[in-house]
Amino acid sequence: VGKRRRPAITMFELDESLEFKLIDKKTRLPYIPVGQEADAYLLGQILDIISDNGIDVTDLDTSLTKTIYDHVSSKFVGPDLATRVSFLCNPGNLVAALRA
């Protein structure tokens, strides 16, 4: 007896207007993949959050990194988002990015 194959359920849908064109169906948030281009985009979003909220990057500690992560995670989904945000929130990375 042949087994009926279940159709694959996709977690994402396409949105051409977005940078990476995928939306997570469960959360309805844009999906940011892993990669240099995606991390550069994520860093841009973090810098926007910092400037929009008047965050002093010289005073970046873990609670501030968590605050930034909370902002990011309320706008995006993606693999290892917490790890990537904490890496990008390293003061050296941020200060270098702000000077660029």
Side-chain angles (χ1 to χ4, degrees):
V1 187
K3 290 182 184 170
R4 271 187 68 201
R5 294 185 66 204
R6 294 179 57 192
I9 299 167
T10 59
M11 292 167 49
F12 305 106
E13 53 191 57
L14 217 55
D15 182 340
E16 291 297 332
S17 69
L18 293 171
E19 178 98 12
F20 296 102
K21 307 198 178 358
L22 289 176
I23 291 183
D24 180 71
K25 282 186 176 174
K26 201 182 340 177
T27 60
R28 309 299 310 150
L29 295 172
Y31 174 84
I32 301 182
V34 172
Q36 283 185 314
E37 191 184 333
D39 281 350
Y41 175 75
L42 198 53
L43 181 59
Q45 297 301 315
I46 289 169
L47 294 175
D48 287 349
I49 289 166
I50 288 169
S51 66
D52 293 350
N53 295 284
I55 296 170
D56 177 9
V57 291
T58 57
D59 192 31
L60 214 55
D61 59 8
T62 49
S63 66
L64 203 50
T65 302
K66 182 173 179 349
T67 304
I68 292 171
Y69 172 71
D70 291 343
H71 280 286
V72 171
S73 63
S74 69
K75 294 180 181 177
F76 305 102
V77 295
D80 297 329
L81 205 55
T83 308
R84 290 158 68 196
V85 167
S86 69
F87 172 74
L88 292 169
C89 281
N90 166 317
N93 288 341
L94 284 178
V95 171
L98 288 167
R99 288 194 182 128

